[in-house]
Amino acid sequence: MTTETHSTGPSSGSDFAVARDRLLAEPGRAGAERRRALAGLADGWLAGLYAAAGAPPGTALVAVGGYGRGELSPRSDLDVLLLHEGRIDRELPERIWYPVWDGGAALDHSVRTLAEARAVAGEDLKAQLGLLDARHLAGDAELTARLRSAVLADWREGAPGRLPELRELCSERAERHGELSFLLEPDLKEAKGGLRDVAALNAIAATWLADAPRDGLEEAAARLADVRDALHLTTGRATERLGLHDQDQVAAELGLLDADILLRQVYEAARTISYAGDVTWRAVGRVLAARGRGRRRLPFLGNGRAAAGRGVVERRPLAEGVVEQDGEAVLAQTARPAQDPVLPLRAAAAAAQAGLTVSHATVRRLAAETRPLPVPWPDEAREQLVTLLGAGEAAVPVWEAYEAEGLITRLLPDWERVRCRPQRNAVHRWTVDRHLVETAVKAAAMTRRVARPDLLLVAALLHDIGKGWPGDHSEAGEVIVRDVAVRMGFDKDDTETLALLVRHHLTLVDTATRRDPDDPATVALITRTVGALPHLELLHALTEADATATGPAAWSSWRASLVEGLVDRAAAQLGCVAAGWSGGRLADGEPTAEQERLAVEAAATGAPALSLLAHAAAAADPERPEPMGVSLTLAIPDQPGLLGTVAGVLALHRLTVRAAGLRELDPVGAGPVLLLSWTVAAEYGELPEAARLRADLRRALDGSLDVARKLAERDAAAPRRRGIPTPPPVVTVAPGASSSSATILEVRAHDAPGLLHRIGRALDTAGVRVRTAHVSTLGAEAVDAFYLTDADGRPLTPEAAREVAAAVQAGI
């Protein structure tokens, strides 16, 4: 038995209080050094009280919890265990505790044998977590060492059962106290991303099953502890809630300029801790799931990863260079980040659309190896950003992972100014940057309401980008978004639309609630502002997304009805196409020489003629990033079901349709030839050879290749991961847009493999002819228009058009 008793501390409670106040007043003493000094001061005092109490052999005084870790803030409790081997004098604990109470110190105490301590820990998770940090203060050091060894062994042995319990405890705490990263009056200890989560991460590491990403974690925990120290000093209380009325004083105590800088530092620290927790809990989940499947214990590898066993790891392709593994998106073995600047956005979009996040190791590799995007961005980069935003809620964890490694500010340098910026308005639930992401989440559910979902999503992401600059944030944002849109590669018209949306994102709600909606001048103000119905659609959806993302107080049924009424009046005044379609048109100009050549070949041979060409820019400059797809031009003698058949063959070859157009030509007067102009991209891997594609088209057209059956067999053999929830498709007839020669059917839907094939089959089954088609895929959203006639070439009757719309709706 080794007995250690150090009594170099204060001899009384008043001496301790004086010594503590003197220590706290020492200039230059702050941070972790001061917390250790406070713990050392308390150690000496308690050891002296233990010795003065006449504690017998076979007892030990042990610090546990935060005090056990040596993290003693100015007003923290002293959490102490009196450990003994059997019977002790009942008055012994009181001889130790009473002087502490008399000295005004807060004390959390217990008296137990080693067996009792282990039993309590086995029943009470919080008690077990506290004992993991046990530290010897006085008495029998061997007894304390036995306690530490036993508790740690119990924790590791019981980890498969205790870790899910700990995760549930953390989740419940986060539900009660919210996310520290966004709260105006956060609880530094209990909120998600707070000091309790740091203790939980250390407990997980003690199991040897997983560990948290350590980069920046220690510094983030120290920053929160420093803020808590300053809060204790300025309030004189053991409080963990950083109230609005205390923030200026706390900032001054820490030498910061103002409370906004204080909150930004708190938010940044909390995000580091929160992200580390997310990564670690995913690692824990993988390890426990592997155990549950009967696999051997997985050795810990560090950095939140465990070995995956020696068997074959299942990897499912998600996109070019991206695969799914163990429930996360990771890089394919063939991926080359240094040569593929679009890869970070492609990986993010693929992960979010599949309802996954990107693995921590992958995000770090992308941050380290990927070179910046060229300016302007390649088409694919812009489309992948829109696809990411269109995933809605599933985009948030991906965005957070990228933000944690600095990838977001690399993509969008202007993001740094709004990152972690607090909003001192009780209506707002989020920081500025998270509000922008949440607005995009809300907008993703409204993409069926607009003809340009890509512009809606990007405007939602950037509408408050001007906050943090002098003056009106809408005016500043308009200037910034013009520059950002050009860098992203939007054309002049789209840039002007984005600028209009950002400049006027508050106009509808301000006008509807502050002016008479029945006054013609009010309606005229809106029509002059937006100029066209598609802009009004976009502004209406952005207004609602912005308000609902702000918080429940910012949007009510009353506000919604006022805005909707104003929008209806403005739409009537604009007198535009009833359904809002702005992209459909009957004429596409004269066919090119290449298109005419293919049409003549198809008419002469009676077989499909095609060309598969890279875009001219890419062909001229091999070093330039690839555009979003290649051009595929098909000329085929007209016959029923062509659109669906050709789209099905493209789906079989895993080609995604980014844009398509269909028109009729009669080059030699021998009958119509359908000319289909496509922009396609390989879902992953290489593009198919033109000869193979032509052969499969011929087989599909002559009936020897059953496209629908082949697609069904492939899907049955390798079912796709169930994707994210998406808004239901919308199929409408646009009577105001329909011409005297055709009926326009509009389809707005979430893009998916074989979508155009299913639409074409539904139209063919309905017995209508597709005279012209305009197909666009904007991010992950399909916005298509089909010009339909009956078998005699006449527009559809209203009743027939409604039946066709219903059939297409059911077929997709």
Side-chain angles (χ1 to χ4, degrees):
M1 179 193 307
T2 301
T3 301
E4 296 180 0
T5 302
H6 305 285
S7 55
T8 58
S11 59
S12 67
S14 58
D15 289 343
F16 172 74
V18 170
R20 181 187 61 194
D21 291 344
R22 186 184 305 118
L23 190 156
L24 294 175
E26 286 184 21
R29 181 78 76 102
E33 179 189 353
R34 183 170 62 191
R35 288 188 290 277
R36 288 192 296 268
L38 284 171
L41 186 66
D43 291 353
W45 180 37
L46 290 172
L49 295 176
Y50 173 86
T59 61
L61 196 61
V62 183
V64 297
Y67 178 33
R69 294 189 295 272
E71 300 171 357
L72 205 60
S73 288
R75 302 296 173 186
S76 290
D77 293 354
L78 301 175
D79 199 349
V80 182
L81 164 66
L82 180 58
L83 192 62
H84 63 96
E85 293 186 310
R87 297 179 181 177
I88 60 170
D89 182 357
R90 291 185 179 181
E91 296 180 356
L92 173 63
E94 295 179 356
R95 292 198 294 272
I96 301 174
W97 311 149
Y98 272 104
V100 177
W101 292 326
D102 291 342
L107 179 68
D108 190 354
H109 60 90
S110 58
V111 181
R112 295 188 178 103
T113 65
L114 176 57
E116 289 170 343
R118 293 179 68 184
V120 170
E123 296 177 357
D124 186 341
L125 177 59
K126 292 181 180 179
Q128 189 172 34
L129 295 174
L131 288 172
L132 288 174
D133 296 308
R135 180 170 59 86
H136 183 71
L137 293 178
D140 187 344
E142 292 182 4
L143 182 59
T144 302
R146 284 160 52 200
L147 171 71
R148 286 178 51 83
S149 296
V151 169
L152 192 55
D154 291 344
W155 175 243
R156 287 173 179 160
E157 181 65 26
R162 276 299 170 114
L163 287 179
E165 187 180 349
L166 176 58
R167 184 167 194 172
E168 182 65 24
L169 189 68
C170 292
S171 297
E172 291 175 355
R173 179 164 41 77
E175 186 68 24
R176 286 195 307 273
H177 297 280
E179 295 188 61
L180 178 52
S181 303
F182 311 114
L183 296 169
L184 271 178
E185 294 187 301
D187 189 308
L188 300 170
K189 188 174 185 180
E190 303 293 342
K192 182 181 179 183
L195 293 169
R196 286 271 192 220
D197 281 345
V198 177
L201 291 174
N202 291 333
I204 294 170
T207 66
W208 289 352
L209 294 180
D211 193 14
R214 291 289 161 178
D215 290 350
L217 184 59
E218 184 176 344
E219 292 82 358
R223 168 50 61 181
L224 292 188
D226 290 348
V227 174
R228 180 174 65 170
D229 289 356
L231 181 62
H232 285 192
L233 290 172
T234 57
T235 63
R237 296 180 288 111
T239 180
E240 312 294 341
R241 184 169 296 281
L242 184 60
L244 286 171
H245 55 284
D246 298 318
Q247 290 173 9
D248 287 324
Q249 290 178 284
V250 171
E253 176 69 26
L254 292 169
L256 301 176
L257 184 62
D258 58 34
D260 277 2
I261 295 177
L262 168 67
L263 281 181
R264 291 192 79 168
Q265 290 189 359
V266 168
Y267 294 159
E268 288 172 350
R271 289 189 186 185
T272 298
I273 296 167
S274 183
Y275 177 60
D278 292 341
V279 171
T280 305
W281 281 119
R282 288 199 299 272
V284 169
R286 289 193 297 272
V287 172
L288 296 185
R291 286 189 166 202
R293 292 192 296 267
R295 289 164 59 180
R296 63 182 177 83
R297 175 168 177 156
L298 304 180
F300 167 66
L301 294 182
N303 235 3
R305 291 175 290 152
R310 300 186 182 277
V312 176
V313 177
E314 184 178 7
R315 297 163 71 91
R316 297 184 180 182
L318 295 174
E320 180 64 28
V322 188
V323 298
E324 176 190 352
Q325 178 181 316
D326 284 336
E328 295 180 317
V330 303
L331 295 186
Q333 294 177 354
T334 57
R336 298 292 182 266
Q339 302 169 21
D340 188 356
V342 183
L343 184 57
L345 281 171
R346 191 186 310 122
Q353 287 291 329
L356 305 171
T357 191
V358 184
S359 78
H360 174 63
T362 295
V363 178
R364 295 198 65 186
R365 184 182 172 193
L366 290 170
E369 298 183 21
T370 309
R371 69 178 188 266
L373 282 167
V375 177
W377 289 9
D379 291 347
E380 185 194 359
R382 187 175 63 254
E383 290 292 321
Q384 296 293 1
L385 174 64
V386 172
T387 302
L388 168 63
L389 299 177
E393 288 284 356
V396 175
V398 176
W399 190 276
E400 289 178 336
Y402 275 40
E403 195 271 340
E405 295 296 335
L407 280 168
I408 298 300
T409 49
R410 183 187 299 181
L411 290 167
L412 302 169
D414 298 284
W415 197 261
E416 181 60 36
R417 204 171 185 94
V418 296
R419 180 175 171 271
C420 292
R421 178 171 290 278
Q423 304 204 74
R424 295 190 173 276
N425 185 324
V427 172
H428 278 278
R429 298 173 55 197
W430 309 105
T431 54
V432 176
D433 61 333
R434 181 56 180 268
H435 169 70
L436 293 174
V437 174
E438 290 293 330
T439 302
V441 168
K442 299 295 185 183
M446 303 175 187
T447 51
R448 303 295 177 268
R449 292 167 43 177
V450 298
R452 290 295 303 273
D454 55 334
L455 298 183
L456 172 62
L457 292 168
V458 173
L461 183 70
L462 300 176
H463 74 277
D464 275 348
I465 199 70
K467 288 189 173 178
W469 291 88
D472 187 310
H473 78 276
S474 298
E475 295 177 359
E478 179 186 6
V479 175
I480 295 169
V481 82
R482 287 182 188 277
D483 177 62
V484 174
V486 170
R487 281 190 274 125
M488 286 183 174
F490 284 104
D491 63 25
K492 182 178 179 181
D493 288 343
D494 288 349
T495 297
E496 289 302 316
T497 299
L498 288 169
L500 181 149
L501 294 172
V502 171
R503 174 65 181 87
H504 293 287
H505 70 271
L506 297 175
T507 297
L508 279 180
V509 71
D510 285 350
T511 305
T513 56
R514 297 177 184 177
R515 298 184 62 168
D516 180 4
D518 294 320
D519 185 349
T522 303
V523 177
L525 171 65
I526 299 301
T527 58
R528 285 196 305 271
T529 298
V530 300
L533 186 57
H535 292 164
L536 183 63
E537 283 182 336
L538 286 165
L539 191 60
H540 186 194
L542 176 60
T543 299
E544 185 174 338
D546 179 21
T548 53
T550 298
W555 194 247
S556 62
S557 57
W558 172 74
R559 283 176 178 257
S561 65
L562 289 178
V563 170
E564 186 171 357
L566 179 59
V567 168
D568 288 344
R569 293 181 181 88
Q573 286 295 318
L574 288 169
C576 292
V577 176
W581 176 258
S582 60
R585 56 198 182 278
L586 279 173
D588 273 344
E590 294 299 316
T592 65
E594 174 66 7
Q595 290 172 338
E596 286 188 336
R597 182 190 69 77
L598 292 172
V600 170
E601 179 184 338
T605 63
L610 67 84
S611 66
L612 186 64
L613 299 172
H615 287 282
D621 183 5
E623 297 299 318
R624 181 173 175 174
E626 289 187 11
M628 192 62 173
V630 297
S631 294
L632 171 63
T633 305
L634 283 166
I636 307 175
D638 193 11
Q639 65 183 72
L642 266 182
L643 178 63
T645 300
V646 174
V649 172
L650 297 182
L652 272 179
H653 285 268
R654 297 192 184 279
L655 292 173
T656 60
V657 178
R658 305 307 303 175
L662 181 153
R663 63 189 300 179
E664 287 184 355
L665 294 178
D666 190 356
V668 295
V673 171
L674 281 188
L675 187 69
L676 298 98
S677 302
W678 310 75
T679 298
V680 297
E683 189 175 353
Y684 37 77
E686 300 293 330
L687 290 167
E689 295 179 359
R692 183 181 173 192
L693 191 59
R694 184 184 296 108
D696 282 350
L697 282 169
R698 286 175 174 167
R699 292 171 56 214
L701 293 172
D702 67 23
S704 60
L705 175 62
D706 189 335
V707 175
R709 183 174 62 82
K710 285 290 186 182
L711 286 172
E713 288 175 353
R714 187 181 70 184
D715 290 344
R720 290 178 175 268
R721 157 181 275 275
R722 178 175 294 180
I724 56 173
T726 60
V730 174
V731 182
T732 57
V733 179
S738 300
S739 71
S740 60
S741 59
T743 297
I744 297 181
L745 186 76
E746 300 173 15
V747 179
R748 298 176 182 177
H750 190 77
D751 191 33
L755 173 64
L756 192 55
H757 168 64
R758 293 190 293 275
I759 294 173
R761 288 189 65 191
L763 293 174
D764 185 41
T765 302
V768 297
R769 296 182 64 232
V770 181
R771 178 176 173 182
T772 306
H774 300 281
V775 174
S776 298
T777 305
L778 305 170
E781 305 303 317
V783 183
D784 305 338
F786 303 92
Y787 291 75
L788 308 178
T789 66
D790 61 18
D792 297 323
R794 295 174 304 208
L796 306 182
T797 65
E799 181 179 356
R802 287 193 296 270
E803 291 175 355
V804 171
V808 172
Q809 181 93 38
I812 60 176

